Amino acid sequence: GENVEQHPSTLSVQEGDSAVIKCTYSDSASNYFPWYKQELGKRPQLIIDIRSNVGEKKDQRIAVTLNKTAKHFSLHITETQPEDSAVYFCAASPDQTGANNLFFGTGTRLTVIP
Amino acid sequence: NAGVTQTPKFRILKIGQSMTLQCTQDMNHNYMYWYRQDPGMGLKLIYYSVGAGITDKGEVPNGYNVSRSTTEDFPLRLELAAPSQTSVYFCASSYPGQIYNQPQHFGDGTRLSIL
């Protein structure tokens, strides 16, 4: 099955700086790559996703890039704010079952220091 | 829309007991999923369903069972609770993707401890 690796496991940045989280995947059939933000004790919430037919997608301060050849994708958060502090998960979906199943990375704990 | 609703929010079980975690969604999503999240880890897929009457195993199905009698409900059953099943359980749902996946929407989770 699909194997998703995520780095770093923890990341601390000063408020206003940028944060980058990187993920790699193993299954070349994967074609959907969402990113979820999870605050302590809360549900994972989708913040951005990208499909394999595009290389980059932006939504205000958040962007995701995808390199299908290298099988890696990254989350970029600019002008970080304290409320960005959370655990971020990447995921990949090979969709071989037709059921949109997701395989998650192990998460990155982002701390934004005021 | 309430979205995806899970009950209970918390539960403590003794080893060998059984219980059912409830999940219901009001978004008319065909696809539903159960994940478990162990401390400091990502989510692992337990079971999934692409529609009423259809279920299939995910990455970590051992020790669990599911049913899908309606579009709205997707309960997860633990028959003989074991300490290794201590985890946070999330239910999710999504529309079917025509060509590409559609986003999965998660419930608030059930925190389960087996003692």
Side-chain angles (χ1 to χ4, degrees):
Chain A
E2 174 63 279
N3 182 46
V4 178
E5 295 190 355
Q6 183 171 348
H7 300 280
S9 57
T10 60
L11 179 60
S12 293
V13 299
Q14 291 292 135
E15 182 177 357
D17 287 350
S18 295
V20 180
I21 302 170
K22 298 182 179 182
C23 290
T24 60
Y25 61 99
S26 61
D27 193 334
S28 57
S30 285
N31 62 3
Y32 174 66
F33 307 91
W35 286 88
Y36 284 85
K37 175 183 180 182
Q38 188 178 32
E39 296 176 354
L40 188 63
K42 300 288 183 66
R43 71 177 75 181
Q45 292 200 306
L46 181 71
I47 56 172
I48 195 167
D49 57 11
I50 190 168
R51 294 177 170 85
S52 59
N53 60 338
V54 298
E56 184 175 1
K57 183 177 179 181
K58 288 184 179 180
D59 183 2
Q60 300 182 358
R61 298 186 296 108
I62 294 173
V64 58
T65 58
L66 171 65
N67 183 326
K68 287 193 298 180
T69 302
K71 287 191 257 182
H72 67 70
F73 56 113
S74 300
L75 177 71
H76 304 252
I77 305 174
T78 59
E79 301 172 20
T80 53
Q81 301 167 2
E83 51 265 39
D84 293 329
S85 295
V87 179
Y88 291 81
F89 292 96
C90 63
S93 179
D95 197 28
Q96 292 172 340
T97 64
N100 305 344
N101 289 343
L102 293 178
F103 292 80
F104 284 82
T106 51
T108 296
R109 182 175 300 278
L110 174 65
T111 302
V112 180
I113 303 166
Chain B
N1 280 352
V4 179
T5 302
Q6 291 183 238
T7 56
K9 294 190 184 304
F10 305 95
R11 185 72 183 268
I12 298 175
L13 282 182
K14 294 183 179 179
I15 295 171
Q17 287 186 320
S18 61
M19 78 162 293
T20 299
L21 282 67
Q22 302 291 345
C23 176
T24 187
Q25 52 90 13
D26 61 359
M27 297 175 283
N28 203 31
H29 286 169
N30 290 74
Y31 291 2
M32 295 188 74
Y33 314 84
W34 274 106
Y35 294 91
R36 60 176 287 172
Q37 184 178 31
D38 297 332
M41 300 297 288
L43 286 79
K44 298 276 189 186
L45 183 66
I46 305 172
Y47 270 93
Y48 64 96
S49 169
V50 298
I54 305 169
T55 63
D56 212 339
K57 297 178 180 179
E59 294 178 87
V60 290
N62 291 344
Y64 307 95
N65 278 300
V66 294
S67 60
R68 185 91 182 273
S69 57
T70 67
T71 300
E72 295 78 19
D73 301 307
F74 190 40
L76 176 72
R77 180 135 181 103
L78 284 71
E79 289 294 348
L80 288 171
S84 60
Q85 293 177 304
T86 294
S87 191
V88 180
Y89 292 83
F90 287 100
C91 179
S93 70
S94 76
Y95 285 115
Q98 295 300 319
I99 300 176
Y100 292 103
N101 299 49
Q102 297 301 310
Q104 291 188 19
H105 302 268
F106 284 81
D108 286 331
T110 294
R111 188 174 299 273
L112 181 62
S113 295
I114 316 293
L115 303 177

